[in-house]
Amino acid sequence: MTAAERIARDFTLLLPPGWARIPLDGRVPLRVKNLVTERVADVPVEQRETLRAALTRELTAVLESAARQGGLDVLLSVAPVAGQPVPASGLVTHLAGQGNGDALDSLVGTLAAGSGTSSVREIGVVEVAAGPAVRRLTTRRERVDGQGDLPGGVLTVTQVDYFVPLPGTRDLLVLTFTTPIEQLAPPLVQLFDVMGGSLRWVTR
């Protein structure tokens, strides 16, 4: 791991109740085991092992996918609200040599032009606890294949990105929050903004 990548891990942010920050390091299997054990603790004994196996597979798949995307950390809602899982997550990544804290307006233009298949709803420079950053809100349509008794269809994915310059470098820390449920997007975007806006660097 480079010095810049180590700096990128030195941050803190507010996590809502039921959320966990999971570093993608050599301890991922142990972290998965501990999270699943905590999650199934109140489940009836006769259902516990089945749920444990399912949660382990699901969580491992999510973290492996995040690692393939170059993730440093994953932010996950691991506890249900009112008996239902919260369809939202966050991914923390590090972009080398793509930022400049003195030229965030230029970064806004670059990101707006390079949004690909996503529709940019909002983009601009904002203040987070760590200082100036670029915030981008986008939506995109994704087709989901049916599985078993579950029908396929098209989902509207809402994504909020925060691009935060790393101190003393030209690198960026990127927080990417997503939800695939269009009806829940407005309150979840508010939650994402509270989380992203709370980011601050940890000095050692």
Side-chain angles (χ1 to χ4, degrees), residues 50-126:
T50 299
L51 181 59
R52 184 192 302 275
L55 288 175
T56 299
R57 287 194 302 270
E58 180 179 344
L59 189 53
T60 299
V62 168
L63 298 182
E64 288 178 347
S65 175
R68 288 194 295 271
Q69 297 176 58
L72 297 175
D73 296 330
V74 171
L75 310 173
L76 278 181
S77 173
V78 294
V81 175
Q84 298 296 322
V86 178
S89 63
L91 177 65
V92 182
T93 53
H94 166 243
L95 292 180
Q98 299 189 37
N100 185 335
D102 297 324
L104 290 182
D105 289 337
S106 175
L107 178 60
V108 168
T110 300
L111 292 172
S115 57
T117 59
S118 298
S119 173
V120 177
R121 299 299 177 88
E122 300 172 13
I123 187 168
V125 178
V126 299

Side-chain angles (χ1 to χ4, degrees), residues 119-186:
S119 173
V120 177
R121 299 299 177 88
E122 300 172 13
I123 187 168
V125 178
V126 299
E127 285 286 332
V128 302
V134 173
R135 174 188 179 273
R136 181 179 63 181
L137 169 64
T138 59
T139 56
R140 65 180 181 274
R141 305 280 279 176
E142 288 189 0
R143 178 167 294 280
V144 178
D145 295 330
Q147 296 183 359
D149 295 331
L150 299 176
V154 177
L155 297 176
T156 298
V157 178
T158 301
Q159 180 169 314
V160 180
D161 300 294
Y162 279 85
F163 299 84
V164 188
L166 267 68
T169 76
R170 292 181 57 84
D171 298 355
L172 295 168
L173 183 77
V174 185
L175 304 180
T176 298
F177 300 99
T178 57
T179 178
I181 308 299
E182 187 174 11
Q183 296 88 338
L184 295 178

